[in-house]
Structures are given as C-alpha cells and as structure tokens.
Amino acid sequence: MKRIALFLLTNIAVVAVLGITASLLGVNRFLTSNGLNLGALLGFAFIMGFGGAIISLLMSKPMAKMSMGVRIINQPSNADEAWIVQTVHNFALKAGIGMPEVGIYEGEPNAFATGAFKNSALVAVSTGLLQGMTREEVEAVIGHEVAHVANGDMVTMTLIQGVMNTFVVFLSRLIGYAVDSFLRKGDDRESSGPGIGYYVSTIVLDILLGFVAAIIVAWFSRQREFRADAGAADMMGSSLPMQHALARLGGMHPGEMPKNMAAMGIAGGIGKLFSTHPPIEERIAALQSRGK
C-alpha cells in the first residue's frame, strides 16, 4: 500500500506541476473561438509529454530508494557488501563513469540501475539475487546494470518516452477537434467551446495512442537490453558469465519491479509487444553469436 500511495501522490504532484506550468505559459488555451491554435497545442503537448518524463527521471533515484526500500552501502558491514561495492567500482572505472551509489534491497532475484546522470547513478541488487547466484553471475548482472548507466539508457528512454507522450497528447487533441467539428457540422447553435465529441474522442485516443506509444517504447527498451548484455560481456572479457546469469535467472521467479524502474531491471515483463526485456533465450543467443 505504501508503494501504491507513493506512486499515486507522485503522479498527482507531477500532473499538478505540469498543469500550472502550462497555465502560466498560456499554452493550455489552445482551443480558441477561432478554432484550434496549433502552436499553443504543440507547446502544451511538449510540456505535458516531456515534462512528466523528465520529472520522473529526476525523481527516479529517491523514488527507487523509497519504493524499493533500498539500503545504501555507505560503509560495508561485511565481506559481501565490500565485494559488491568493489565490483561496482571496478566496472565504473572500466566504463569511464563516476562511482554510482550502491544499494541492497529485500526481494526476489533482480537488480536495477537508475538516476538522471551518468556520474551520479544508483545500482542496486536484491538479496534474492545474491543468495541465488554465484559471485561470477552476480558480477555479470552488476556489469549489465553499470552498462545501462554508461550507455545513458535512462536518459535515452526518457527522451523516447517524452517524444511518444508529446505525439499522443498532440494527435489525440487534434483528431478529437476534427471529430467534434465533423459531428457539429451544420449546427448553427453558438457554442463557447468544444462539444462532447471532442472530450470523448480525446479520452479514447489518449488510451489507444498510449498503447501504441507503449509498444514503441518497449521495443526501444528491448534493444537497450541487448546492448547492456554486450556491455557486461565486454567489461568481463567473456560473454559466458552473462549467459550463465541469464540461464539461472530463467529458472528463478524474477522480482516485480515498479513501473518506472522496469526498463532498467534485469528481469522482463509479460507480453512480447509490451515487454521491456527480450526473452531470455534471445538474449543468450545474442551473446553466443558474439563468439566468446
């Protein structure tokens, strides 16, 4: 319940901030007595589309810590924690990025990386992952997450999500206005605003286009997973540890990730079109094709 409440409150706050921003800039008044102001609509769509994605990115680290219960390892308390911190440090040096924060959280086998900037990211692993894998396999998983950071995947996915959001907001309202105009054609009654056709069409199109956008974003996410797997293999000098980690993970019950963290986790979702991760078999096959 705490995670759900936090998620809802955060989204309400984000929507409120974006709404106030759009109002202050005047771009929320794209429906005028003379018709649709395309420039204002584009500005409104841009703010709502990119604003939400960027705010989510900037909040990703603190949100991950709170929602997942991540305990940051500031001072290792045992040999395992010291090894995890040292492993992240070694990979960060190889990848040429700043040392990420390192954390552990209770849960089923999984790991994730998040953060708005390459040099101030967070890499966290679950207790289930540490208990269910060999050190070499955990090392490969950590390499995968550091590769996500080094590849700038968090920013890349944010930009892609922002573009998709902008198109959804813009097209749904543009088409909704056209539908409403068509339905009201020949109606001589004066009206101070759009009719019911606009509102119904916009809501339906927001949902339908949102699904299309989610499919496109998920496709890009799957490509980044292949790249992160390859990055881990390059940093380790062999793809075998990553292959073994994926094979072992395939026999585990992967931990569920929060929606805003799913794209950077080691485990995938359900449904191929909407899955942020490729099937494990495809990932292993891609690593095997590297020939080492």
Side-chain angles (χ1 to χ4, degrees), residues 82-291:
W83 175 79
I84 295 170
V85 172
Q86 188 60 50
T87 300
V88 173
H89 175 72
N90 293 341
F91 279 133
L93 286 177
K94 290 181 180 180
I97 61 173
M99 177 63 181
E101 285 188 279
V102 183
I104 296 178
Y105 63 97
E106 296 289 333
E108 298 295 326
N110 220 322
F112 67 84
T114 191
F117 308 101
K118 284 186 179 183
N119 295 324
S120 60
L122 165 68
V123 173
V125 298
S126 71
T127 53
L129 193 76
L130 297 174
Q131 295 164 2
M133 286 188 173
T134 66
R135 278 204 168 186
E136 185 180 59
E137 291 164 351
V138 174
E139 185 178 2
V141 171
I142 292 174
H144 172 99
E145 300 306 335
V146 172
H148 270 310
V149 178
N151 293 338
D153 288 342
M154 283 73 78
V155 173
T156 298
M157 294 308 300
T158 295
L159 293 176
I160 293 171
Q161 186 69 66
V163 170
M164 292 297 101
N165 291 346
T166 300
F167 272 110
V168 169
V169 173
F170 183 82
L171 290 177
S172 66
R173 282 147 185 80
L174 180 63
I175 298 173
Y177 181 81
V179 170
D180 187 60
S181 297
F182 175 79
L183 293 176
R184 299 168 65 184
K185 192 174 182 180
D187 188 349
D188 296 329
R189 291 175 298 177
E190 292 186 3
S191 175
S192 59
I196 188 66
Y198 170 81
Y199 294 106
V200 172
S201 298
T202 298
I203 292 172
V204 172
L205 287 166
D206 274 341
I207 296 172
L208 294 179
L209 294 175
F211 276 116
V212 175
I215 291 173
I216 295 173
V217 172
W219 182 87
F220 276 103
S221 178
R222 291 195 293 273
Q223 309 316 304
R224 308 305 288 188
E225 288 304 312
F226 285 123
R227 189 177 178 189
D229 287 342
D234 288 339
M235 287 189 288
M236 295 191 72
S238 171
S239 67
L240 289 177
M242 194 69 231
Q243 292 181 46
H244 294 161
L246 289 169
R248 188 180 294 275
L249 188 67
M252 294 177 172
H253 175 65
E256 183 181 0
M257 304 292 287
K259 185 177 180 182
N260 64 334
M261 301 300 305
M264 297 306 128
I266 189 67
I270 300 174
K272 191 167 184 179
L273 285 178
F274 293 94
S275 176
T276 57
H277 290 60
I280 285 179
E281 295 79 6
E282 291 184 15
R283 295 171 66 180
I284 293 176
L287 288 169
Q288 290 174 336
S289 69
R290 294 170 57 87

Side-chain angles (χ1 to χ4, degrees), residues 64-79:
K65 293 176 183 178
M66 288 188 289
S67 64
M68 297 297 290
V70 176
R71 177 174 60 84
I72 301 299
I73 306 175
N74 294 313
Q75 188 67 39
S77 60
N78 55 54

